[in-house]
């Protein structure tokens, strides 16, 4: 059993990874990490000593002062490398870097430098190192204006704000669960690579992304309809969108009851791929239906009382 620790375990990716690792109790043991460990060498050493694998996710993505981003990420890498050196740890280190490494900015530069710091320490301790170059990540519970444009757009729509597009370019995305699965595979396979590019699973224009989210907002929030999805990306995007719904304002969703001489009819949910789930009441002696369909499947269940259900060719 591998003992795995995640720096930044309460961050966006960290929380998803921590939860996913918990699904493999026969393979992995999770070692708790607290951000306070970076300010206490004894606590950090204690954490490192317990780990067979350390996934270093802790870092800063955005700040008004780019130099603070640079210093923060470098200092975190130095702190972890120092703990690895003091404890002579041969733990497998997986480091989350970014495609921003290829750009001329403080964040990308800090990630590149931090990766090299941990590569050098891994060589000194004769341990495995995996440097993950990760594209834009989206998924449930990302922080708006910090983790991704998806989180920002979803939050704005949920709060009845109008998102604005600054640059309508193409963005390369990976769903957080897809990234987590990739990381777990590298852990299991004991992959060693100074620079390992994580392939994006979707490339989409920002305006197209926003149009999809607006479609979800209209159909799901305003009409109560489950949208139709053309692929797994749209399904993942929809599940991301749903987590930003303002529960106190949106729920409970009241059903509309249609009543006539036969009884009552209530639609519970409608699917844009076609179909619905509903319930009805029927007064004694009344016949409902008595018609046929050429393309439709219907299923009936009597959940209270008694009824006669008959089919014919």
């Amino acid at each position: 059993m591998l003992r795995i620790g995640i720096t930044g375990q309460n961050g966006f990716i960290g929380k998803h990874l921590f939860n996913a690792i918990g699904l493999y109790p026969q393979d992995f043991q999770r070692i708790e990490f607290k951000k306070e460990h970076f300010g206490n060498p004894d606590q950090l050493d204690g954490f490192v000593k317990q780990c067979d694998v350390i996934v270093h996710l802790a870092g800063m993505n955005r700040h008004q002062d780019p130099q603070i981003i640079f210093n923060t990420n470098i200092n975190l890498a130095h702190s972890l490398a120092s703990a690895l050196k003091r404890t002579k740890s041969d733990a497998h280190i997986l480091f989350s870097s970014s495609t921003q490494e290829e750009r001329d900015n403080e964040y990308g530069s800090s990630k590149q430098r931090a990766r090299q710091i941990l590569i050098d320490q891994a060589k000194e301790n004769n341990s495995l190192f995996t440097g993950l170059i990760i594209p834009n990540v989206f998924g449930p519970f990302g922080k708006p204006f910090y983790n991704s444009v998806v989180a920002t757009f979803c939050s704005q729509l949920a709060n009845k704000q109008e998102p604005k597009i600054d640059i309508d370019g193409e963005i390369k995305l990976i769903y957080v669960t897809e990234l987590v699965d990739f990381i777990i595979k590298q852990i299991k396979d004991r992959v060693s690579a100074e620079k390992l590019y994580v392939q994006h699973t979707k490339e989409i224009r920002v305006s197209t992304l926003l149009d999809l989210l607006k479609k979800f907002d209209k159909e799901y929030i305003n009409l109560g309809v489950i949208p139709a999805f053309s692929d797994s990306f749209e399904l993942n995007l929809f599940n991301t969108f749903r987590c930003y719904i303002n529960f106190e304002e949106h729920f409970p969703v009241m059903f509309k009851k249609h009543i006539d001489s036969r009884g009552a009819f209530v639609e519970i949910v409608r699917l844009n791929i076609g179909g619905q789930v509903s319930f009805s009441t029927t007064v004694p002696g009344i016949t409902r239906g008595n018609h046929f369909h050429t393309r439709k499947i219907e299923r009936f269940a009597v959940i209270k009382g008694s009824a006669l259900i008959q089919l014919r060719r």
Side-chain angles (χ1 to χ4, degrees), residues 145-288:
F145 304 99
Y146 189 81
N147 288 127
S148 76
V149 66
V150 176
T152 301
F153 284 169
C154 288
S155 176
Q156 289 176 319
L157 289 170
N159 289 286
K160 309 303 180 185
Q161 300 168 358
E162 182 61 36
K164 290 183 173 59
I165 298 174
D166 294 326
I167 301 174
D168 189 19
E170 295 278 338
I171 52 173
K172 296 176 180 179
L173 296 169
I174 186 170
Y175 188 51
V176 66
T177 301
E178 296 169 330
L179 174 60
V180 163
D181 290 343
F182 184 87
I183 293 173
I184 291 174
K185 187 176 189 303
Q186 309 318 303
I187 293 172
K188 287 183 173 181
D189 294 347
R190 294 178 57 79
V191 172
S192 181
E194 292 187 0
K195 184 183 281 192
L196 179 62
Y197 284 91
V198 180
Q199 186 62 41
H200 64 276
T201 54
K202 183 68 176 182
E203 188 166 354
I204 188 170
R205 186 169 291 280
V206 175
S207 57
T208 305
L209 172 70
L210 181 55
D211 287 344
L212 271 171
L213 292 170
K214 285 183 174 180
K215 174 176 175 282
F216 297 158
D217 185 56
K218 176 183 177 181
E219 294 182 356
Y220 187 70
I221 301 299
N222 297 333
L223 302 178
V225 175
I226 305 295
F229 309 115
S230 62
D231 55 25
S232 60
F233 167 75
E234 290 191 5
L235 174 60
N236 292 334
L237 187 65
F238 176 66
N239 281 330
T240 301
F241 167 78
R242 289 191 305 119
C243 87
Y244 294 91
I245 293 171
N246 188 321
F247 274 61
E248 292 183 357
E249 291 185 5
H250 183 66
F251 296 103
V253 175
M254 306 307 292
F255 297 133
K256 186 176 182 180
K257 182 186 288 188
H258 303 273
I259 301 175
D260 60 23
S261 59
R262 299 170 300 172
F265 174 84
V266 177
E267 181 179 83
I268 298 174
V269 65
R270 179 174 290 274
L271 311 173
N272 249 4
I273 58 171
Q276 64 180 187
V277 179
S278 60
F279 75 85
S280 64
T281 63
T282 305
V283 300
I286 291 294
T287 300
R288 282 187 178 275

Side-chain angles (χ1 to χ4, degrees), residues 302 306-310:
V302 179
S306 60
L308 176 65
I309 298 177
Q310 293 178 306

